[in-house]
Amino acid sequence: MPHLVLLLGEPSSIKGLVQRALEDLGAPGQEVTRRSYQSWSDLLGDNSSCGLFAERSFVLVEVEGDLGPFPLHMTPLLEGPEADNVVLLAVNQLPKELSQGELKGRVSVYRDEPLPRFGRDRIRWIENQARGLGLSISSDGLAFISDAFEDREEISGELRKLSMLGRAVSLEDVRSLCLGDGQRNLVSFLDLLCARRDVGAIKTLEALKRDQDLLPLVSATYNRFRLAFYAHRFGEGWVNRNLSPRPYAMKMAMRAVEAYPLAALRDFVWELIRINVMEKMGLGAGWARFDMAVFGLLNSSRGRR
């Protein structure tokens, strides 16, 4: 007899819910067979038994139509989580019949937890996902993951990768394992420039020129340094309230606030806008103009004024 696992969520979240269920059932990485059924009787009848020497089976059922109300007289056909047959049923909402007391222990429910777009709630979601994998990540590492990845399944995949380290994970671990060379260089350049580490920033910029296009770098630099300019001009609280920046980006932007005077940040942001417009019009000077903007920023007077 089967154990019924209900997966409640959007289609994009089903893969993650299946993985969570398999881990809880002690079968991570288990092969899952996909099937479709037109009725509860067909579903339960087809998965009610297995051969004497057959291995434990897992079946994913994605319902396109409507199986109808669950027939309560079939409750005895369901078993607990230790059952040899497990039916993973993807549904949009919990059938009310399956929430009744007599089905407790015979039905498991996994609900989609939407990934928040901004702020502490987003980081808390990532931290909870990591904790479920037995993974401890530094606060900087969590903020970096939140900033670097948009898709929830992509984030979940990176967390599973990090969990293989078998130890507490630092920001450097996240950078090393979760980013390709080009993306890692881009983030390093932005961080080094925010921290005003002249030699490192210029060295990384030269590496970016070999592998990256100019306009994406200009856009990424603008997005980081406009936060610094606004924070310098209006305060960090104003930026958080009005622009909802990602925590890691905001943290590094505040380093730039401490490293550069307001006038230098204003001129740099304005020059990035100019470069972007001129390049799109076909009138730009390419990397040379960007180099001049970076050198001008690094050559400005030091300290916050």
Side-chain angles (χ1 to χ4, degrees):
M1 294 185 288
H3 178 60
L4 184 60
V5 176
L6 297 179
L7 310 174
L8 280 74
E10 298 297 322
S12 61
S13 69
I14 296 303
K15 181 179 178 180
L17 294 176
V18 169
Q19 291 171 341
R20 283 172 50 194
L22 292 178
E23 289 168 359
D24 289 348
L25 291 168
Q30 174 71 41
E31 181 178 353
V32 177
T33 303
R34 291 176 178 264
R35 294 178 186 167
S36 60
Y37 294 97
Q38 302 299 316
S39 67
W40 284 108
S41 58
D42 289 342
L43 186 154
L44 296 177
D46 199 23
N47 296 282
S48 61
S49 62
C50 61
L52 183 60
F53 300 105
E55 297 181 355
R56 196 178 189 194
S57 69
F58 293 81
V59 175
L60 175 61
V61 180
E62 296 178 279
V63 180
E64 295 183 359
D66 184 8
L67 293 175
F70 180 79
L72 292 177
H73 67 275
M74 290 187 174
T75 298
L77 294 179
L78 298 178
E79 288 188 21
E82 71 284 349
D84 289 332
N85 297 332
V86 176
V87 176
L88 303 147
L89 183 61
V91 292
N92 292 323
Q93 59 183 1
L94 178 65
K96 61 181 181 180
E97 301 86 4
L98 294 177
S99 62
Q100 299 189 18
E102 57 265 33
L103 286 167
K104 185 176 181 179
R106 299 174 185 262
V107 177
S108 298
V109 179
Y110 288 82
R111 300 177 186 273
D112 178 23
E113 299 177 26
L115 172 63
R117 292 187 62 192
F118 304 109
R120 287 298 311 169
D121 289 340
R122 180 180 175 89
I123 291 181
R124 192 175 298 112
W125 185 94
I126 297 172
E127 187 174 22
N128 288 337
Q129 298 296 309
R131 188 179 296 115
L133 295 171
L135 176 61
S136 173
I137 306 179
S138 68
S139 57
D140 282 349
L142 288 169
F144 186 87
I145 292 172
S146 173
D147 198 35
F149 302 100
E150 289 291 338
D151 181 73
R152 55 177 294 152
E153 291 308 317
E154 188 177 20
I155 291 175
S156 297
E158 297 302 327
L159 293 177
R160 287 192 292 273
K161 183 193 304 180
L162 292 168
S163 70
M164 297 175 67
L165 290 175
R167 57 172 171 78
V169 171
S170 67
L171 172 60
E172 290 307 314
D173 291 327
V174 176
R175 282 179 166 172
S176 175
L177 291 177
C178 298
L179 300 181
D181 290 342
Q183 192 177 9
R184 185 159 51 245
N185 283 336
L186 172 58
V187 173
S188 294
F189 169 71
L190 295 177
D191 290 354
L192 290 167
L193 193 59
C194 284
R196 198 163 187 164
R197 293 172 58 182
D198 306 36
V199 174
I202 293 171
K203 181 178 178 181
T204 309
L205 176 57
E206 291 303 313
L208 283 169
K209 290 180 184 180
R210 294 192 292 268
D211 303 314
Q212 301 290 316
D213 293 330
L214 174 60
L215 279 178
L217 178 58
V218 171
S219 296
T221 307
Y222 169 77
N223 288 335
R224 176 71 66 84
F225 275 84
R226 78 184 182 109
L227 297 178
F229 169 67
Y230 288 138
H232 210 319
R233 177 67 177 81
F234 303 113
E236 182 179 1
W238 185 93
V239 175
N240 284 324
R241 287 191 305 272
N242 291 279
L243 301 181
S244 300
R246 296 285 169 79
Y248 184 80
M250 192 65 225
K251 176 182 177 179
M252 298 309 299
M254 291 307 297
R255 289 193 182 180
V257 168
E258 296 299 325
Y260 301 103
L262 177 61
L265 291 174
R266 179 199 61 210
D267 293 345
F268 185 56
V269 170
W270 172 245
E271 186 63 15
L272 292 173
I273 295 172
R274 191 197 311 272
I275 292 171
N276 184 64
V277 172
M278 297 301 286
E279 288 294 326
K280 289 181 177 179
M281 293 176 61
L283 301 174
W287 286 104
R289 189 69 179 261
F290 186 74
D291 283 346
M292 291 173 62
V294 171
F295 297 156
L297 179 67
L298 292 172
N299 196 44
S300 63
S301 59
R302 290 187 174 271
R304 178 173 183 167
R305 290 195 308 176

